[in-house]
Amino acid sequence: MPTHPLIELTAADVSLLREERDASAHMHVGGVSLFDGPAPSITDLRTHVLERLERVPRYRTTVVPPPLGIGRPHWAVDPNFTIEFHVRHAALPCPGDERELRTAAARLFSQRLDRRRPLWELWMIEGLEDGRFAIVTKSHQALVDGIGAVDLMTALLDAGSEPEPVAPSRRAGIWLAPPLPTSAQLVASAARDAARVAIVRPLRLAALAARPAEALAGAAAGAAGLGDRVSRRLKPAPPSPLNVPIGPHRRLARTAMPVADLKRVKDTFGGTVNDVVLAVVAGAVRAWMTDRGLQTDGVELRVAVPVAVEARRREARPIALLHAPLPIGEPDPLVRFERIRRAMSEATAGHDVVAAERLTSSERFAPPTVLAQVARLRFDERRFNLLVANVPGPTEDMFLLGRRLETVVPVPFLSGERSLAIAVTSYAGTAEFGLLGDLDKLADIDVLAEGLDTSIAELLTLARRGRRSRRVRRSAPTAD
């Protein structure tokens, strides 16, 4: 078994861990995957996971805090790694329905991951109706270290019903790992990192001094970015019933719709599938507020939207966070869509936006990876009311130990005073909406899920009629 060197956590990793100082914050993401057929034995599943962990080596590492707070924490191979701790088994009262499964999954996502172990869990849940079973995965966002890495479900699923053969050298066996680093080693590592920074920074400054025009351009861009950030802080998102202090417990809701329906609306009225998703969310939030007896006239919320962009530098992140209006006060669904479409078109004008499908392929299952990447973006949480992440998934069937993946519900994360987050992923022609809410503040989260169904039905009806609203032309796009 190869040894793994000490790896210092990045500033983003440390920030994600610090978020959990607040007892209400859980910085893990994942999903609830439903499979056809009888569940494998827990022994077979653990063996399968052990064999595939070679593809995700960080899943064997744990966070080692620095002695006396000197330097950053490090990732180190856990010498006490046991698969039984991470791959667990539970069952619903048979036959368990979807509501019971969502309740069980929400409880799992309400529990913080153990910092003394590698930061992930996988639960196999049996007892579902029709002889099915589910897999619930939780991975800390610091563990999934960016778009170049993969999450656990990516490693476990196969594109065919026959599992890919595993090389003999990678078969599950006795796990040998070096002992955890000593305090002296951690201090020495921190000293080396500090020395490297002290050497590299002057060299970078000297390189910029040698290219003054380039330095000035960079400074101008930085100043523009700073000005943009300052202006954004001066324009916080409006107050809303979604933005309230939250607790540590969660609710989970879901709904699904054909991707073809989203594309039908897009093809009829223009824009992108992501624009349609946002319009559907706007309609659902409007219906939810109306159901609560809240005032909607003149209400416009702001949504944060991750989009795929062309990275111009090797180290650049291929995801940007844009903002768009959610015109809750607009009763006409087509006007809501058009205002969102125009605003997103303006917001993406300065970005090299690429098709979101570039993030995934039929061999990759990327939603948890992308959700973790979104959390690494530096954004001012005061600037938006709601995060909506739309991540395309595989277009063909995927399998776990020969069992077909029927559906997958992505589970996002809550941060700040946000009682709701929505993640959307497509799989085999179906768009699955996962809604994560605060247990106490969103007891009526199912109203939001039902509102998504009603909202897409309204847009589909208009698309079939080919209807274009006379009010669209008069509706000015809302700037961010």
Side-chain angles (χ1 to χ4, degrees):
M1 186 67 66
T3 60
H4 296 267
L6 279 177
I7 300 175
E8 187 182 56
L9 271 70
T10 66
D13 294 336
V14 175
S15 176
L16 291 170
L17 293 174
R18 285 176 177 169
E19 285 281 338
E20 292 183 325
R21 289 178 178 176
D22 181 351
S24 64
H26 308 312
M27 302 307 290
H28 47 250
V29 293
V32 182
S33 302
L34 195 61
F35 291 87
D36 289 332
S41 70
I42 189 63
T43 300
D44 288 346
L45 180 60
R46 285 170 175 161
T47 299
H48 181 64
V49 173
L50 277 174
E51 291 175 344
R52 297 295 176 91
L53 281 183
E54 292 288 345
R55 302 180 182 181
V56 281
R58 183 165 286 190
Y59 277 67
R60 285 193 185 269
T61 63
T62 188
V63 176
V64 182
L68 305 176
I70 301 174
R72 294 177 183 169
H74 285 71
W75 295 109
V77 176
D78 183 6
N80 302 312
F81 180 87
T82 55
I83 194 64
E84 291 79 10
F85 179 86
H86 295 280
V87 180
R88 307 184 187 184
H89 188 199
L92 300 176
C94 190
D97 59 18
E98 181 187 311
R99 180 175 292 274
E100 291 173 330
L101 174 61
R102 287 192 281 114
T103 299
R107 288 174 180 166
L108 293 176
F109 275 87
S110 301
Q111 300 168 8
R112 185 166 296 181
L113 292 161
D114 190 340
R115 289 282 184 91
R116 298 166 298 180
R117 304 274 188 166
L119 297 173
W120 64 276
E121 293 175 3
L122 182 150
W123 290 78
M124 181 173 71
I125 300 181
E126 294 189 74
L128 293 172
E129 55 191 356
D130 299 328
R132 299 173 297 169
F133 70 98
I135 296 289
V136 178
T137 57
K138 290 168 50 180
S139 298
H140 199 284
Q141 297 173 58
L143 193 71
V144 185
D145 62 343
I147 212 68
V150 296
D151 66 280
L152 185 61
M153 283 304 291
T154 306
L156 297 182
L157 294 175
D158 294 301
S161 57
E162 291 296 325
E164 296 179 10
V166 178
S169 61
R170 294 187 175 183
R171 287 175 184 162
I174 298 175
W175 169 243
L176 300 176
L180 290 175
T182 64
S183 296
Q185 289 174 314
L186 292 171
V187 171
S189 176
R192 286 193 298 270
D193 292 334
R196 183 175 64 252
V197 171
I199 293 172
V200 170
R201 186 170 294 171
L203 292 176
R204 287 179 177 174
L205 291 174
L208 288 175
R211 300 190 298 273
E214 192 173 313
L216 286 173
L226 178 60
D228 181 58
R229 289 194 294 273
V230 171
S231 66
R232 291 180 179 184
R233 289 195 180 99
L234 294 176
K235 298 185 340 185
S240 86
L242 292 174
N243 303 116
V244 292
I246 63 173
H249 304 294
R250 304 289 182 256
R251 289 184 186 272
L252 184 62
R254 51 84 60 174
T255 192
M257 56 191 69
V259 174
D261 287 352
L262 299 173
K263 290 183 176 180
R264 173 73 178 270
V265 175
K266 182 261 298 184
D267 292 342
T268 302
F269 302 121
T272 67
V273 168
N274 207 36
D275 298 338
V276 181
V277 167
L278 296 179
V280 167
V281 169
V285 174
R286 174 181 169 83
W288 170 77
M289 291 181 64
T290 301
D291 185 78
R292 282 196 169 192
L294 300 174
Q295 177 68 33
T296 59
D297 292 346
V299 174
E300 180 172 285
L301 304 184
R302 192 175 298 141
V303 62
V305 189
V307 298
V309 297
E310 190 72 55
R312 297 179 179 179
R313 304 188 312 276
R314 180 178 300 177
E315 68 275 13
R317 299 290 184 185
I319 291 180
L321 199 71
L322 305 182
H323 297 86
L326 285 183
I328 306 303
E330 173 54 59
D332 189 316
L334 188 53
V335 176
R336 287 198 298 267
F337 170 75
E338 181 63 14
R339 290 179 64 182
I340 291 170
R341 185 192 69 79
R342 291 183 182 181
M344 284 297 290
S345 178
E346 291 179 358
T348 57
H351 296 268
D352 296 327
V353 177
V354 299
E357 287 78 2
R358 290 270 298 274
L359 297 177
T360 60
S361 69
S362 59
E363 292 78 29
R364 295 288 300 275
F365 189 80
T369 307
V370 176
L371 288 174
Q373 179 73 7
V374 169
R376 294 167 180 272
L377 298 174
R378 295 180 180 178
F379 51 76
D380 188 342
E381 291 187 341
R382 293 169 295 180
R383 288 222 63 227
F384 62 93
N385 303 100
L386 174 66
L387 175 70
V388 178
N390 177 24
V391 185
T395 58
E396 304 295 333
D397 286 339
M398 304 293 287
F399 297 85
L400 173 71
L401 292 173
R403 283 81 168 173
R404 186 180 69 87
L405 175 63
E406 180 183 292
T407 188
V408 57
V409 180
V411 180
F413 62 97
L414 299 183
S415 63
E417 293 189 349
R418 253 164 229 88
S419 61
L420 174 69
I422 299 177
V424 188
T425 189
S426 58
Y427 167 65
T430 298
E432 191 76 44
F433 288 68
L435 295 79
L436 185 68
D438 178 80
L439 178 69
D440 300 315
K441 302 303 191 299
L442 275 183
D444 52 355
I445 192 172
D446 287 336
V447 174
L448 283 159
E450 293 166 2
L452 294 169
D453 295 331
T454 302
S455 187
I456 186 61
E458 291 175 340
L459 288 169
L460 271 176
T461 298
L462 297 176
R464 293 190 184 102
R465 295 174 181 171
R467 182 224 160 177
R468 295 188 177 277
S469 172
R470 296 178 181 178
R471 299 179 60 196
V472 170
R473 183 171 298 178
R474 298 199 301 268
S475 298
T478 301
D480 186 22

